[in-house]
Amino acid sequence: MNLSSLGFFRSLRQGNHQFAVIGLGRFGRAVCSTLYHLGYDVLATDIDEKRVAQVLTDQIAAHAVQLDSTQPTALKEAGVFEFDTVIIAIGNYLEESIVTTLNVKEGGVPHVVAKASSEVHYKLLQRVGADHVVFPEYEAGCALARSLTKPSILDRFDLDPDNSIVEIIVPDEFHGKTIADLKLRSRFGLNLIAVSHNGKFVINPEPNDRLEKGSAMVVIGSNRDINRLPI
Ligand code: ATP
């Protein structure tokens, strides 16, 4: 998530407990399963009857309907247009994905999330009105490249293209030093948010707390400053 998606996530209604998922490949099934196990009401749909039956057998959706989502009447009859949020998880069929997105937007669904499988696909989905587009293969590839080149960064949250919150392994050089000794703010321009201790995070640690190599710390700052850390 970054600032460009802020408007979309802010507009999602807190009280919404119903989601429709179109396309039951691995991605669509993962969305269904997670929403369903979090307690949300999920309508799962696919053109393939076997995939529809499978979600019911696997108990990863409350309701499942076989339909061709390129047909607006089929979507209307299944009640898809009544949903507040619809996830279009058709990655490998470009035309079907685009037509479905168009149909669902024209049907009046306020929040449409669509999965892209290429850059052109991404742009087309935005053009036909998708409110939020995800590109999981691209995002996973970027994350892998980052973790391979900076293995001490355990996790990162991009606030915008220039600033992040990162969870890093405490560098050897910081071992035994107090937070006050490190002067992270004046030397690196970074703010320390949390440090791990005995498997748990201490939020807003005290200046006298000592860091131990191999434990984890969370800092917020610009990517340029984060890259200056001895990691
Ligand atoms: P993955 O399995 O990696 O998640 P994916 O999300 O890209 O792949 P696809 O291979 O694109 O998934 O398939 C998604 C699902 O969309 C398939 O189960 C397919 O049957 C379904 N589908 C394709 N066309 C339509 C359509 N017109 N209406 C409804 N479902 C469709």
Side-chain angles (χ1 to χ4, degrees):
M1 217 265 279
N2 54 36
L3 280 185
S4 60
S5 347
L6 185 66
F8 171 74
F9 285 103
R10 276 182 49 189
S11 71
L12 288 177
R13 284 214 327 264
Q14 280 293 329
N16 176 33
H17 286 274
Q18 295 184 321
F19 296 86
V21 177
I22 302 176
L24 300 170
R26 287 166 294 184
F27 180 83
R29 281 175 55 88
V31 175
C32 283
S33 166
T34 305
L35 287 170
Y36 186 66
H37 289 116
L38 286 170
Y40 293 92
D41 202 7
V42 180
L43 169 68
T45 72
D46 199 288
I47 200 167
D48 181 339
E49 212 154 304
K50 282 198 202 116
R51 292 195 169 190
V52 173
Q54 195 63 46
V55 294
L56 293 176
T57 308
D58 296 341
Q59 298 188 336
I60 58 168
H63 321 277
V65 178
Q66 185 273 335
L67 56 79
D68 178 355
S69 58
T70 61
Q71 303 299 319
T73 46
L75 291 167
K76 193 166 191 290
E77 273 170 28
V80 172
F81 296 155
E82 312 306 317
F83 281 77
D84 179 72
T85 307
V86 175
I87 299 100
I88 299 162
I90 304 177
N92 292 316
Y93 306 88
L94 188 72
E95 188 178 332
E96 284 78 354
S97 156
I98 302 297
V99 174
T100 300
T101 305
L102 195 63
N103 287 343
V104 174
K105 263 334 272 182
E106 288 196 339
V109 174
H111 302 109
V112 176
V113 183
K115 179 199 169 184
S117 54
S118 70
E119 270 177 59
V120 173
H121 191 181
Y122 190 104
K123 286 183 191 163
L124 287 168
L125 288 168
Q126 285 183 317
R127 283 287 173 106
V128 294
D131 301 286
H132 184 55
V133 183
V134 293
F135 189 175
E137 287 87 352
Y138 175 80
E139 287 151 21
C142 294
L144 175 67
R146 279 173 164 170
S147 57
L148 292 174
T149 52
K150 284 267 184 207
S152 357
I153 297 186
L154 301 173
D155 208 351
R156 78 183 295 143
F157 180 83
D158 294 325
L159 294 167
D160 63 30
D162 300 320
N163 300 291
S164 308
I165 297 173
V166 293
E167 179 188 353
I168 58 174
I169 300 173
V170 170
D172 290 359
E173 285 179 51
F174 290 0
H175 177 67
K177 302 225 167 91
T178 65
I179 290 164
D181 292 338
L182 288 175
K183 298 190 174 66
L184 287 174
R185 209 174 285 169
S186 56
R187 282 170 63 210
F188 295 98
L190 299 172
N191 277 305
L192 184 66
I193 300 176
V195 289
S196 74
H197 186 67
N198 292 338
K200 283 199 143 193
F201 272 107
V202 177
I203 311 298
N204 293 328
E206 298 296 326
N208 295 335
D209 289 350
R210 282 185 196 280
L211 295 180
E212 290 163 34
K213 69 175 174 188
S215 58
M217 59 194 269
V218 179
V219 296
I220 180 169
S222 73
N223 295 334
R224 204 190 50 217
D225 290 333
I226 290 167
N227 286 335
R228 293 196 296 123
L229 283 170
I231 51 175

